Amino acid sequence: MTTRRQVIFRSAQLGAMLATLGLLPEAAQAQATYNAGAFEAKTMPELMKALGASAPVESKDVTITGPDIAENGAVVPIGASTTLPGVKRILLLVEKNPSVLSALFDVTDSVDANFSTRVKMGQSSNVFAVALMGDGKVLYAVKEIKVTLGGCGG
Amino acid sequence: MKMVKTLALTVVTALAASCTSMPPKADYAALMNQMMAGSFRDEGIAKTDRLIQDQANAACSEAQGKSLPDAVTEAIQQAALQGVRMPSDGKFTGDWREGEKLAQNGRGMTWSDKTALPKDNGGNCLNCHQVTKEEVSYGTIGPSLYHYGKDRGVLDPESQESRPIVEYTWTKIYNAKSYNACSGMPRFGHAGLLDEMQMKHLMALLLDPKSPVNR
Amino acid sequence: MLKISVPLILAILSTAALSQQKSATDAIAEYRAMLADGNPAELFEARGEDLWKMKRGPKNASLEQCNLGKGPGVVKGAFVELPRWFADTGKVQDLESRLLTCMEALQGFDAKAIAATPFGKGEQINLEGLTAWISAESRGMRFNLPQAHVQEQINYELGKRAFFYRAGPYDFSCASCHGQAGKRIRLQDLPELTKNPGDGVGFAAWPAYRVSSGEMWSMQRRLNDCYRQQRFPYPGYASDVTIALGVYMGVNAKGAQSVAPALKR
Amino acid sequence: MSDPMRIRAQVAGDKATVRVLMSHEMETGLRKDGAGKVIPAWFIQEVTAQLNGKNVMTAHWGPSVAKNPYLQFSVKGAKAGDKITISWTDNKGEKRSDEATVS
């Protein structure tokens, strides 16, 4: 039986190997490598530690979008954005998932700090949009999304 | 003048007739039997003998949603009522918490379920009924059951004064066709879907004043 | 591609929400609107188009000469006229059973073997892609099943009887869930299928991408799962009862605009 | 081999809205199959976007991104005719790259 940890570990090794061999696209190499530890974090503090970031502060300048109720936890549309200048990274978190971090976006000057995707949610939970700023500040917005039991349940 | 009018009327009638053409003549009962027998196969616990209809299902299918003749209705309901077995120990209610779990549980009796035993069956209640105020994900095929006991003034479901409504409720769960020949509700007791204890839990959910149904 | 922008829909929804507490139904509508743009069914449509044109099977042929009812190779508009009578097979066929006929005749596949393949495996995966693309080619068109042939009429009558056929341990029929308007199971709205339930609803919304399983479902798979939930035995893929039900629902849906392949829970 | 992505890039003011659908199982590694065996994790880990060959965004994903992932973002200064390239790499090292023209 292969555990998830092993798979990620192996794939990180594989990624490093491919990078060494020059097999990864140049663009990818220029960016930070996949932080497996961050995607293993169970809580927000654990995640911030793995990312080497400070404790997050709630901010009105960060926006989290998503439905109040998700008809199905398998696909929940969420988005994170901020209009603040100097943002380096945007994170999307689901508090009650086995690992809190769903997605991380490295922001460049060429894109808006505004990303939408769809995540899986095992149960009703708070979801967070977190902005890692250039000056080291960590800002967040939070919203609760209820996951309902749809269909006949059979 | 009169001639023209008659002619116009004839045309209209002819058009109407062609729009509502009668189905072609065929032995539909035989074709139906042949089609059903040739289309399904056994899978897991769901065997083809499930296609066999009892009198009630045959009559209600035939009616296609329309009401049955009074005599047929009466016969189905009488037969259903006579088959209802009241709880062996005379006690009608169990634990509403267990009842709520059963109400939430929509599983049971499909070809992907392991067994057809009551322990592997849910009550499926939320699929069709509102049950509590807190659970917003409920169906509307059946009436809301929120405040079921409260609205009927049940203070103690095991008391003598509650007996009529308690027996009615038990009967409804055991075999809903006792009061409504073509009821859409599964016959939980009659079909052996739930055991006596499970039905008592559902009774508690509906009738216990402490149950979230009545709060 | 959606014509109305999602932000616009959301803006309307959130304005409405200001005046009153959002009901669960409104919240679900909001959730669906958020998913409407970017239906993963598009991924299957693209695959289906490739599969239609690709030389495959023992005969190494494409499906481009397949006759879906409007002549060999005519795809546009075919979906909204199926199921229909086909003279070459002497049968009323739906999209899936017709595709099986073409895959056998043109490409040399074994239709029976494909019909017996479990959903989501082997050639069944390809069928989901093909039905996604073929239905998409009739997107926005209105259902207009032919009823001229006597077998099409008989199939309608049999489909109607099958629709109301109550049996199994729960005494359910198709009509148990789809016989009345304005009902739902849990939070799922149930289309009334004994008449035209409206544009893009019921028969006019399948095939669909199922969010819950991340799979593409054709009408055959939809019906299969209906029968599972009905606690019936297992209906064969493209079996007579599934075709008859298709005729019944399809004829009832006359005039309904097809939105297939849609996005479903 | 994986299926092509669906990429739409449309000009909206002084930027282009990019919407991407990717074909991927996004298996969490936490689910079990019918026989009770754990289904190994299999998910896209990295997504990059390029505008006319220049990297404009890198995303890292975990297995909780939904199956057949959807991604939407906006590229500043993108004009009609520009090329948007999206690439992904999954945890098995499989990769895929597709291109779309901004319209």
Side-chain angles (χ1 to χ4, degrees):
Chain A
M1 195 179 80
T2 313
T3 67
R4 190 167 138 265
R5 192 175 288 269
Q6 283 168 335
V7 169
I8 289 172
F9 178 61
R10 278 196 207 129
S11 64
Q13 276 182 323
L14 181 70
M17 213 168 72
L18 291 169
T20 321
L21 294 169
L23 292 176
L24 284 182
E26 228 172 279
Q29 279 184 59
Q31 297 297 321
T33 47
Y34 191 78
N35 188 335
F39 284 98
E40 298 261 287
K42 307 281 176 237
T43 62
M44 178 90 97
E46 260 183 66
L47 171 62
M48 291 307 141
K49 201 175 155 204
L51 292 170
S54 58
V57 182
E58 190 158 4
S59 164
K60 285 195 167 59
D61 295 316
V62 178
T63 308
I64 175 90
T65 54
D68 293 345
I69 300 181
E71 197 175 10
N72 199 292
V75 179
V76 184
I78 58 173
S81 65
T82 178
T83 48
L84 290 174
V87 57
K88 292 290 164 207
R89 266 186 172 174
I90 294 277
L91 316 177
L92 278 168
L93 277 62
V94 181
E95 190 173 41
K96 289 194 181 161
N97 272 0
S99 303
V100 290
L101 181 60
S102 281
L104 167 163
F105 300 89
D106 280 328
V107 184
T108 68
D109 292 341
S110 305
V111 289
D112 285 350
N114 184 352
F115 304 95
S116 301
T117 185
R118 296 166 183 169
V119 297
K120 297 189 267 259
M121 289 177 64
Q123 54 183 307
S124 299
S125 168
N126 280 332
V127 293
F128 293 85
V130 181
L132 306 188
M133 308 305 290
D135 61 6
K137 278 193 192 132
V138 182
L139 309 172
Y140 76 85
V142 62
K143 156 177 189 71
E144 197 201 0
I145 297 181
K146 281 201 177 77
V147 175
T148 62
L149 181 67
C152 312
Chain B
M1 200 52 205
K2 202 183 169 196
M3 280 263 307
V4 176
K5 213 174 189 175
T6 315
L7 189 67
L9 206 71
T10 316
V11 173
V12 169
T13 318
L15 276 175
S18 74
C19 288
T20 56
S21 57
M22 293 298 289
K25 281 217 171 4
D27 184 354
Y28 285 108
L31 287 173
M32 182 71 188
N33 277 338
Q34 195 187 333
M35 177 175 84
M36 296 303 273
S39 293
F40 292 89
R41 63 167 169 81
D42 293 350
E43 174 79 16
I45 60 168
K47 312 283 191 222
T48 49
D49 61 9
R50 289 188 176 189
L51 295 173
I52 300 166
Q53 294 176 311
D54 63 11
Q55 258 179 330
N57 276 338
C60 295
S61 301
E62 182 81 24
Q64 299 189 349
K66 293 178 197 71
S67 40
L68 299 174
D70 287 349
V72 180
T73 301
E74 190 56 31
I76 291 172
Q77 293 181 179
Q78 270 310 314
L81 197 56
Q82 274 162 22
V84 174
R85 281 209 309 271
M86 291 296 152
S88 43
D89 60 357
K91 202 171 167 304
F92 282 89
T93 53
D95 182 348
W96 63 260
R97 289 170 202 84
E98 291 301 316
E100 194 175 10
K101 283 185 213 161
L102 280 165
Q104 287 278 2
N105 185 347
R107 292 195 166 276
M109 304 306 276
T110 74
W111 66 62
S112 44
D113 289 300
K114 292 269 182 299
T115 81
L117 300 172
K119 70 173 177 61
D120 288 325
N121 284 329
N124 289 265
C125 312
L126 265 306
N127 284 348
C128 297
H129 300 279
Q130 181 183 24
V131 173
T132 67
K133 203 175 171 197
E134 292 73 29
E135 179 54 86
V136 297
S137 181
Y138 59 85
T140 58
I141 295 173
S144 170
L145 301 173
Y146 182 53
H147 282 175
Y148 180 89
K150 194 181 179 183
D151 287 350
R152 288 159 181 80
V154 178
L155 299 172
D156 173 6
E158 299 296 345
S159 68
Q160 210 42 51
E161 52 272 33
S162 300
R163 200 31 93 86
I165 188 64
V166 167
E167 283 189 359
Y168 168 84
T169 308
W170 179 268
T171 304
K172 189 88 188 167
I173 295 173
Y174 195 100
N175 190 340
K177 290 183 188 297
S178 303
Y179 302 122
N180 177 2
C182 293
S183 166
M185 188 161 120
R187 294 172 280 186
F188 291 100
H190 171 84
L193 304 174
L194 298 178
D195 63 27
E196 199 176 277
M197 199 61 230
Q198 288 171 313
M199 287 191 281
K200 287 183 182 186
H201 293 326
L202 290 181
M203 290 287 286
L205 177 69
L206 291 174
L207 297 162
D208 191 325
K210 293 187 289 296
S211 154
V213 166
N214 299 315
R215 274 191 271 127
Chain C
M1 225 102 304
L2 262 199
K3 297 293 186 296
I4 311 163
S5 80
V6 173
L8 180 68
I9 296 171
L10 296 184
I12 295 165
L13 285 167
S14 55
T15 314
L18 284 177
S19 54
Q20 61 184 74
Q21 182 73 28
K22 236 186 289 182
S23 74
T25 334
D26 291 340
I28 293 292
E30 183 184 43
Y31 167 82
R32 290 179 191 159
M34 285 175 162
L35 287 180
D37 203 11
N39 180 352
E42 284 180 35
L43 298 164
F44 294 82
E45 288 171 36
R47 185 190 295 166
E49 184 173 8
D50 289 347
L51 283 163
W52 181 260
K53 294 169 180 169
M54 202 187 291
K55 288 192 168 71
R56 294 188 336 116
K59 293 187 182 170
N60 194 36
S62 80
L63 287 168
E64 286 163 305
Q65 286 309 302
C66 177
N67 183 351
L68 296 172
K70 296 179 80 73
V74 180
V75 177
K76 211 164 253 322
F79 176 68
V80 289
E81 294 179 15
L82 289 168
R84 72 188 303 154
W85 165 260
F86 286 89
D88 57 355
T89 52
K91 277 188 200 160
V92 174
Q93 294 183 288
D94 66 354
L95 175 56
E96 292 92 318
S97 61
R98 189 60 189 170
L99 277 170
L100 287 180
T101 298
C102 287
M103 287 167 82
E104 183 161 285
L106 300 172
Q107 300 182 307
F109 284 110
D110 179 350
K112 271 212 180 75
I114 298 174
T117 304
F119 291 111
K121 300 260 191 301
E123 283 300 324
Q124 281 288 345
I125 300 175
N126 293 333
L127 274 171
E128 303 295 9
L130 284 163
T131 54
W133 177 66
I134 292 164
S135 63
E137 286 293 290
S138 292
R139 192 185 270 128
M141 299 173 84
R142 297 189 179 278
F143 275 94
N144 187 22
L145 269 65
Q147 273 283 284
H149 196 282
V150 66
Q151 283 305 324
E152 292 168 343
Q153 295 165 18
I154 288 174
N155 261 266
Y156 179 88
E157 288 301 317
L158 289 172
K160 187 177 186 180
R161 280 166 173 79
F163 190 86
F164 286 98
Y165 192 89
R166 294 186 69 165
Y170 280 22
D171 305 325
F172 285 166
S173 70
C174 306
S176 299
C177 288
H178 298 287
Q180 304 170 74
K183 300 287 179 187
R184 42 175 236 235
I185 278 192
R186 289 277 184 163
L187 282 173
Q188 259 60 61
D189 295 321
L190 298 163
E192 184 185 9
L193 300 174
T194 58
K195 57 181 194 185
N196 179 356
D199 290 347
V201 185
F203 195 75
W206 295 89
Y209 180 79
R210 282 285 299 236
V211 160
S212 45
S213 56
E215 292 163 321
M216 195 70 216
W217 280 21
S218 69
M219 180 50 78
Q220 277 291 329
R221 189 158 184 187
R222 171 64 276 185
L223 286 176
N224 182 276
D225 201 54
C226 278
Y227 272 129
R228 189 181 69 84
Q229 302 274 16
Q230 241 172 273
R231 277 75 182 178
F232 269 48
Y234 196 96
Y237 190 88
S239 57
D240 291 349
V241 71
T242 62
I243 309 286
L245 282 169
V247 173
Y248 177 66
M249 294 186 292
V251 170
N252 290 344
K254 186 181 172 75
Q257 199 171 27
S258 174
V259 295
L263 185 80
K264 292 278 180 184
R265 178 192 64 79
Chain D
M1 207 192 69
S2 56
D3 283 331
M5 284 176 246
R6 302 284 285 175
I7 307 169
R8 283 175 292 153
Q10 284 167 311
V11 173
D14 58 350
K15 48 194 153 196
T17 307
V18 182
R19 296 181 181 89
V20 190
L21 276 168
M22 309 172 198
S23 184
H24 205 285
E25 286 297 316
M26 299 302 286
E27 194 57 62
T28 58
L30 302 171
R31 294 198 313 151
K32 288 177 177 166
D33 64 15
K37 235 182 92 194
V38 172
I39 307 169
W42 183 30
F43 59 97
I44 292 174
Q45 280 189 320
E46 183 173 274
V47 181
T48 61
Q50 291 178 305
L51 172 66
N52 298 325
K54 178 184 160 256
N55 187 67
V56 291
M57 188 222 48
T58 303
H60 288 168
W61 287 354
S64 62
V65 168
K67 181 173 177 176
N68 294 323
Y70 175 78
L71 170 65
Q72 182 178 332
F73 61 99
S74 294
V75 182
K76 294 177 191 167
K79 304 174 300 295
D82 284 353
K83 298 267 181 266
I84 296 279
T85 311
I86 308 289
S87 310
W88 58 251
T89 308
D90 70 20
N91 67 321
K92 290 182 180 172
E94 283 176 39
K95 51 189 78 216
R96 160 130 220 140
S97 206
D98 290 286
E99 193 181 85
T101 306
V102 178
S103 63

